[in-house]
Amino acid sequence: MGSRCMPPDRHNDVRDGARMIAKTRRVIGCAVAIALASAVHVAAQPDDQTVFYQQDGLTLQWHVQAGLYLAFENDVFWDLAATTAPGTNFDADKRWQETYIKPGLSFQLALDDDATVFGKISAVASYTFGTDPFDEGDNGAVTLEEAYLGVRGVLDGDFGYEFSLGARELKLGTGMLIANGATSGFERGTLKFGPRKAWERSLIGRLTGQGAALTAFYLDPNELSSTDGENELIGVDLRYDATAGGFIGGTFVHALNSQTPYPQAALGGFGTPVITTGARDGTNTLGGYARTGRFGGVLQNLTLTADVAYQWNDRIDLRAWAGRVQAIYAFPDLPFTPTLTVGYQTFSGDDPRTTALERFDPLYFEGSPTAWATGTKSASTLINSNVNALVAAIQLKPSAQDTLTFRYAHIRANELRSPVQFGQATRLDITGPTSNVVSGVTDAHLADDFFIEYNRIITRNIFFTAGLAISLPGQGIKDVSGGSAPNWPGGFMNIVVNF
């Protein structure tokens, strides 16, 4: 279960497993601070600070985002390396710093026919000092982030259109399937910050009108050069936003090309998993999402959300599923205006009793604690496959600038003796009367994660975040390490500047 912390099996080495986790999900770290900064920035209108030219229908605007992150973690991955791979000399206590800067330039040009041409170019320079949990550090890179051109306008008064081509961000629905278009960490540095979001290549077309939006897309993710899976996706998203609040929508994604492998449990759960290279190629995913608007009466502060997804690929006999339900209730009349969130999310795992493949592929989900991370510390090890989690959070606002959030997640495996994450090491299990080669876990309880987070809006462009987290290993993790495993604590603080 810990990529760099478990011995490699005959199909994968530990490094590739860790990189697959980073490619498939957004490592959480300070994602909340970046998301908060981005949200405030998007909501704000261009001001004199960033708009440096505005004449004859042409607007030029500069953008800068930068951050500094300090972190420590002890007994990373529950120190499984101490018992499962002592020969690797893996140091489970980590201290490291990350920094990045993302400058950019955008323009809008209003044409005579009510159309607007727009575009943006930006880059990311990032670096990690020290050694991060995946045993990488003292490295970084400068990469192109956004580079796109587009046109938008109005059709027949009530309908709008927008088309763009190039490297651009795109998030659909709640971020369950399509959100994180780029990979950070490893040779690029800034594993936890994850400042890269844009797809390396995209073609996006959108028609809007009367509350509905139809989006068609082609996407090529910005992957690490060392582990580029040659992924290409096409699909369509249809969404309706109600005037009274709330929305409902659906997304279809087809993997047009991919070398990304899928692991499959050994039949009966005994033996090494089978790794099929290029298994994602041709995989279809159909997802639905919904969020309620404002209720009346005593339920006026209640919000319900639901997501569901189904996957299939006849070429490899894949049938998989995932879903989440969530309830959010605000108490605006109580001190600190608390908001309570309770939810349950689940992602199918491969059933070792069948010859078919049932393991859900989470694609490019948004992996922050407020989105689709499975746990907090555990989210650095577990991707959204063969896991389920009962999650709860309470958010307090002592002031308009300060937010304090307490999070808890109880995490379990859906299928025993089946890969829980990519890179799951095969091992000899001797807990029963006989010795058997197994992968995955033999007890469903994986971990209980606790997270305390503080956010401070210093100014409209400067944000501070600090947090403490601890992951308590469940019996499934303890059994992997021979019956016991230490807790996995950590903490961080960061500051983000966003214009």
Side-chain angles (χ1 to χ4, degrees):
M1 184 102 14
S3 294
R4 295 285 288 185
C5 298
M6 297 187 65
D9 59 37
R10 68 187 66 178
H11 299 287
N12 317 294
D13 65 25
V14 186
R15 186 182 183 90
D16 287 343
R19 292 191 177 204
M20 180 57 67
I21 293 174
K23 289 171 64 178
T24 314
R25 56 167 296 279
R26 183 90 181 268
V27 185
I28 62 172
C30 58
V32 171
I34 295 179
L36 182 61
S38 299
V40 172
H41 181 71
V42 169
Q45 295 296 318
D47 54 37
D48 293 339
Q49 286 183 296
T50 60
V51 176
F52 63 92
Y53 183 89
Q54 194 168 31
Q55 188 174 341
D56 299 327
L58 176 63
T59 300
L60 299 179
Q61 186 176 2
W62 59 265
H63 311 267
V64 173
Q65 188 180 99
L68 176 65
Y69 176 92
L70 310 175
F72 78 91
E73 295 188 19
N74 294 333
D75 292 317
V76 169
F77 309 126
W78 308 283
D79 199 18
L80 292 178
T83 53
T84 61
T88 63
N89 296 317
F90 178 80
D91 185 357
D93 296 334
K94 303 294 184 182
R95 308 287 185 272
W96 77 101
Q97 304 85 43
E98 300 177 2
T99 186
Y100 80 96
I101 184 169
K102 181 163 65 173
L105 175 68
S106 66
F107 80 92
Q108 295 187 65
L109 176 62
L111 304 180
D112 293 337
D113 57 356
D114 293 329
T116 299
V117 178
F118 63 93
K120 187 176 183 180
I121 185 168
S122 66
V124 174
S126 58
Y127 199 86
T128 295
F129 301 89
T131 306
D132 67 27
F134 287 139
D135 232 14
E136 296 278 350
D138 293 324
N139 55 12
V142 178
T143 60
L144 182 68
E145 174 67 357
E146 298 156 294
Y148 63 85
L149 289 172
V151 60
R152 68 171 67 97
V154 178
L155 298 172
D156 298 328
D158 294 330
F159 294 89
Y161 67 88
E162 180 178 298
F163 299 94
S164 67
L165 174 67
R168 189 183 184 188
E169 296 181 21
L170 177 66
K171 173 184 172 181
L172 298 174
T174 62
M176 180 186 188
L177 302 171
I178 299 295
N180 180 24
T183 305
S184 294
F186 302 96
E187 63 261 35
R188 292 177 174 174
T190 59
L191 173 76
K192 294 285 188 176
F193 250 141
R196 297 169 176 86
K197 302 177 184 179
W199 304 86
E200 185 173 24
R201 293 186 296 165
S202 74
L203 177 59
I204 304 169
R206 178 172 293 144
L207 297 176
T208 59
Q210 299 181 352
L214 176 65
T215 304
F217 56 87
Y218 163 84
L219 302 172
D220 179 351
N222 182 7
E223 303 178 90
L224 295 170
S225 59
S226 59
T227 54
D228 192 339
E230 301 178 12
N231 287 280
E232 296 178 79
L233 309 174
I234 58 173
V236 63
D237 179 85
L238 179 61
R239 171 174 173 148
Y240 175 76
D241 287 86
T243 55
F247 55 80
I248 187 170
T251 307
F252 173 75
V253 183
H254 172 72
L256 187 66
N257 181 68
S258 179
Q259 291 300 311
T260 297
Y262 288 164
Q264 184 172 8
L267 194 61
F270 300 103
T272 59
V274 176
I275 308 298
T276 303
T277 301
R280 177 183 282 175
D281 188 47
T283 294
N284 301 295
T285 306
L286 182 63
Y289 53 89
R291 180 186 178 103
T292 62
R294 182 177 295 276
F295 292 103
V298 296
L299 300 180
Q300 63 177 331
N301 298 317
L302 175 66
T303 301
L304 303 176
T305 68
D307 294 81
V308 64
Y310 177 74
Q311 284 180 333
W312 71 97
N313 188 332
D314 293 334
R315 181 177 59 85
I316 58 173
D317 197 15
L318 167 69
R319 298 292 186 275
W321 52 268
R324 179 177 73 177
V325 291
Q326 191 178 70
I328 305 169
Y329 197 91
F331 300 87
D333 298 327
L334 294 182
F336 301 150
T337 60
T339 300
L340 176 65
T341 301
V342 178
Y344 176 78
Q345 58 193 53
T346 181
F347 311 89
S348 65
D350 183 46
D351 187 347
R353 298 167 296 181
T354 72
T355 57
L357 180 60
E358 297 92 2
R359 187 175 186 270
F360 185 75
D361 179 356
L363 296 177
Y364 299 90
F365 67 96
E366 184 176 10
S368 72
T370 57
W372 285 94
T374 296
T376 51
K377 283 284 172 260
S378 294
S380 294
T381 302
L382 307 172
I383 63 174
N384 288 349
S385 294
N386 193 23
V387 292
N388 66 76
L390 178 65
V391 298
I394 185 166
Q395 183 183 88
L396 306 175
K397 291 190 69 64
S399 74
Q401 292 78 35
D402 299 286
T403 303
L404 188 63
T405 307
F406 302 85
R407 304 184 191 277
Y408 166 72
H410 176 75
I411 308 163
R412 305 180 69 84
N414 277 326
E415 298 286 348
L416 302 181
R417 297 184 174 88
S418 179
V420 178
Q421 57 130 356
F422 199 96
Q424 172 67 51
T426 300
R427 65 190 185 280
L428 187 65
D429 178 47
I430 55 175
T431 56
T434 60
S435 299
N436 297 290
V437 176
V438 300
S439 65
V441 294
T442 54
D443 185 283
H445 185 196
L446 296 175
D448 292 280
D449 283 12
F450 299 86
F451 184 28
I452 302 175
E453 182 182 57
Y454 169 69
N455 291 279
R456 169 75 178 180
I457 301 175
I458 300 174
T459 72
R460 63 178 299 226
N461 300 110
I462 303 176
F463 308 86
F464 173 79
T465 304
L468 293 172
I470 187 169
S471 179
L472 281 55
Q475 195 59 47
I477 299 295
K478 293 177 181 178
D479 288 346
V480 170
S481 62
S484 64
N487 297 331
W488 173 7
F492 73 92
M493 63 175 61
N494 68 72
I495 190 165
V496 173
V497 178
N498 189 80
F499 287 89

